Each structure stands twice: as structure tokens, then as C-alpha cells.
Amino acid sequence: LIGAVNTVVNEHGRLVGHNTDGIGWIQSCRELGFEIRGAKMTIAGAGGAATAIQIASALEGVREMSIFARKANFFGNGEATVEKIRSSVPECVVNLYDLADKDRFYEEIGDSDIFTNATRVGMKPMDDQSLIEDTGVFRKDLVVSDVVYNPRLTKLLADAQAAGCKTVPGIGMLLWQGAEAFRLYTGQEMPVQEVMERYFME
């Protein structure tokens, strides 16, 4: 459904492809106390990482998803993702909107449990930028997630924290997608507690 792999495992001479990005993002949310099942998410982006998160979230039980993408970039990919979700996970309500439609963008965030930035906005050298220009959309019961991990504290997350939101940094997705790849390669759980303490308990 995702249409891409980032981990290839040799299973008795047969190469099997997996994608750990979506699972990594879901686990990073759970480690910080947020369960996506039954939630509504607004997510910006329709590229590789965004698609993995969208498909994995639908399969994991997200109730509703509003995807925003730029018409000039990955909009066609977003349309394909919406059709896949509607076909394979019909109980998940999913819609695609133009990211340029700021009124709809803020309206959907205002009606969501979680907002996720799955674009490169906020990553160096765009680390002084955020998709959210009107920080009034942030509220204390909104979870704000970013896939960007460099810088670890993006402008989006800093603004969200200042408004009292719970935040999920991109470093968590990086860690947990790696842990899932480790499990697929070795059949063992990766010892992540030391890394968790270093990156999440500071």
C-alpha cells in the first residue's frame, strides 16, 4: 500500500521489502503517551514519509484523516494514497486538500486530535520556517508531531510547546523506525532505553 521499502530482509533466499517509517512514527507517539487509534489527524505532506505515516495510521485505526499537499508537488501521490485507504480501510474517513487553502487547513487542524508535519519545512536550511503561521490554531489538547529531526526542536514544535501542546519530535520516528528494522533483521528487540533517556528525558 505504501509503494516503497526502506528495509530488505533475506528470508531463506527470498528478498522481502518492508517500510518501517509509519510503524516508527506510531511507536514514537505511543512512547510519549498518545494513542492514534480512534483519533482524527491532519497531516501535511504526500511524499514518502508522509505516505508511510498515512497508510500505517489508517491500518492502525485512525478514525479520520485530512491530508494537505501542494498542487505542484505530490498532490497526485496524495490522490493515490486516498484511494488506497478508501479501498483497503473504508472505515477510515480520508480527504485530500490543497495546502494553499489556509482557511481549510486551519479549520481541519482545529477539529483534529493531532497535527503532523510530514514535509521538509522546518528542516535545515528552512529551520526558521513553519507551516503554521497563525499559532492561534494551537490549543492545549492538540498533539503536534514533526518528522523533521534536524533541528530536533523545530520552529513548529517550539511554537506548539509555547502554546501548551504535547509534541512528538521527529527524532522519535527516526529511532523507532530503526528499532523496527533491527527487529526485522535480527528477530530481536533493539535495546532502546538508553537512547530514549538521552533523547526524550533531557
Side-chain angles (χ1 to χ4, degrees):
L1 289 174
I2 294 170
V5 303
N6 66 357
T7 303
V8 180
V9 180
N10 187 328
E11 297 183 1
H12 309 291
R14 179 170 176 256
L15 299 181
V16 179
H18 304 263
N19 192 308
T20 63
D21 281 343
I23 295 170
W25 178 81
I26 290 169
Q27 187 61 29
S28 71
C29 288
R30 286 179 173 155
E31 287 296 320
L32 293 175
F34 179 67
E35 175 57 59
I36 67 165
R37 186 174 286 110
K40 176 178 178 178
M41 174 167 66
T42 292
I43 178 168
T51 301
I53 291 171
Q54 289 153 11
I55 295 292
S57 296
L59 293 171
E60 196 65 21
V62 160
R63 169 178 53 84
E64 186 174 347
M65 194 182 320
S66 294
I67 300 170
F68 284 81
R70 299 189 192 280
K71 288 278 190 179
N73 298 98
F74 295 99
F75 205 81
N77 193 47
E79 290 174 323
T81 299
V82 166
E83 289 308 310
K84 288 177 183 178
I85 292 174
R86 287 175 176 170
S87 174
S88 301
V89 196
E91 61 273 22
C92 177
V93 177
V94 59
N95 291 292
L96 176 67
Y97 304 103
D98 184 357
L99 188 55
D101 186 349
K102 291 298 184 180
D103 288 341
R104 171 65 74 172
F105 186 47
Y106 290 131
E107 181 181 334
E108 291 301 310
I109 293 173
D111 190 45
S112 294
D113 302 295
I114 182 167
F115 168 66
T116 299
N117 171 46
T119 75
R120 291 177 292 177
V121 176
M123 181 183 294
K124 291 183 179 293
M126 296 183 287
D127 49 319
D128 61 340
Q129 300 177 34
S130 170
L131 287 177
I132 304 298
E133 297 168 353
D134 180 5
T135 57
V137 74
F138 293 134
R139 59 184 200 279
K140 290 185 178 180
D141 61 341
L142 178 69
V143 177
V144 178
S145 160
D146 207 332
V147 303
V148 173
Y149 55 85
N150 184 24
R152 189 168 61 176
L153 182 65
T154 61
K155 186 177 188 307
L156 170 70
L157 296 184
D159 289 346
Q161 287 179 5
C165 300
K166 176 177 283 189
T167 57
V168 182
I171 195 73
M173 176 176 165
L174 179 67
L175 168 66
W176 288 105
Q177 65 83 26
E180 176 63 12
F182 183 91
R183 186 189 67 79
L184 289 167
Y185 286 140
T186 67
Q188 301 176 37
E189 299 299 322
M190 190 172 85
V192 298
Q193 190 57 43
E194 181 180 341
V195 181
M196 281 290 295
E197 290 175 357
R198 177 179 177 185
Y199 285 105
F200 290 96
M201 307 305 179
E202 289 180 352

